[in-house]
Amino acid sequence: MSEKNDGANRDATKRSARERLLAERERQKKKDKRRRTLIVSAAVVGVLGLAAVVGLIAANTGKGDKSANAGPVAAPSGATGKDALAIQSGKPEAKSTLTVWEDFRCPACKAFEDNYRSTVHDLEARGLLKVDYHLVTLIDGNMRGTGSLNAANAAACAQDAGKFPAYHDVLFENQPQETDDAYAKKARLLELAGKVAGLDTPAFRSCVNDSTHNSWVAKSHEAFRAAKFRGTPSVLLNGKDIFADQANPLTPQKLKEAVEAAGKGNGGAQPAPKGKGSPSPAASPSVSPSASAKASASSATSSSGSRAGSGAGSSKAGAAED
């Protein structure tokens, strides 16, 4: 009986040891599984964290400097002036220089062009005047959109093709309402190119569609802001703000007389003495696009709520650039 009891006890002990061993192995398996899960989870969190950091860096790169994302600055062919930011028309040897800062969406700029276009072109043809055009994107900022930028780029592309003056006039003659960002559509800009003989070419289309000169336009607008002009158009004759004197407003006849006087060697930075004629259109203020809309309603008179020409210090800036 004693031997049987001893055998039974030994068997019971062995079973108990095996059970404990199995239980221990099961606990170890669970522990290992938990450890592997933690390692994998930590790795996933690390990858996601790195991705978040990279995404944050990418999201903030270039903020505050939109022109940096538009590629290198590519000035149009023949661009002149400081930093090659002006497109010049007329004969380079002309004694008088008209400096014009314009936005193709600006109604007051259209009013200026409609009033003075024939006079300016006549003076250019006679070799008395050259015009330095600076392109601005003021209305895009005020009204939202990209029409000012796209139209300015297209005009720069026209300069590459030697067709800037004609295309410049076409853009103003067909200017949409200020609130209508029609020039944001490149198809519309290409359609208008058909009005200029020889402009609608594969090279021009590629330039427009690729936004080749966008960075150059952005740099031109930054120069406009740095010069502290109050609005568009800002117009200077031989470095003098000729829209500044509202008591003696400019007219096409006065501009003609001043340029002719300069051509004869009698000076000419000053407009001709006060006489009859319609005053110049008001500038489109950089702080209130509605004022420029008023200007477009009457190309012959200045709006009561807006200021003609550029702001304080603009004459100095224009003179330095010329």
Side-chain angles (χ1 to χ4, degrees), residues 171-194:
L171 288 175
F172 277 116
E173 289 165 355
N174 293 272
Q175 184 189 78
Q177 292 295 315
E178 186 179 19
T179 55
D180 179 7
D181 195 19
Y183 284 170
K185 299 176 181 178
K186 294 178 179 179
R188 175 57 176 161
L189 297 171
L190 294 173
E191 177 187 355
L192 290 176

Side-chain angles (χ1 to χ4, degrees), residues 4 8 37 68 88 90 106 109 122 127 132 163 187 208 218 237 272 276 282 297 300:
K4 289 182 179 181
T37 300
Q88 190 173 95
C106 162
C109 297
D122 175 65
D132 286 345
K163 303 287 185 179
V208 171
L237 179 61
K276 293 182 180 180

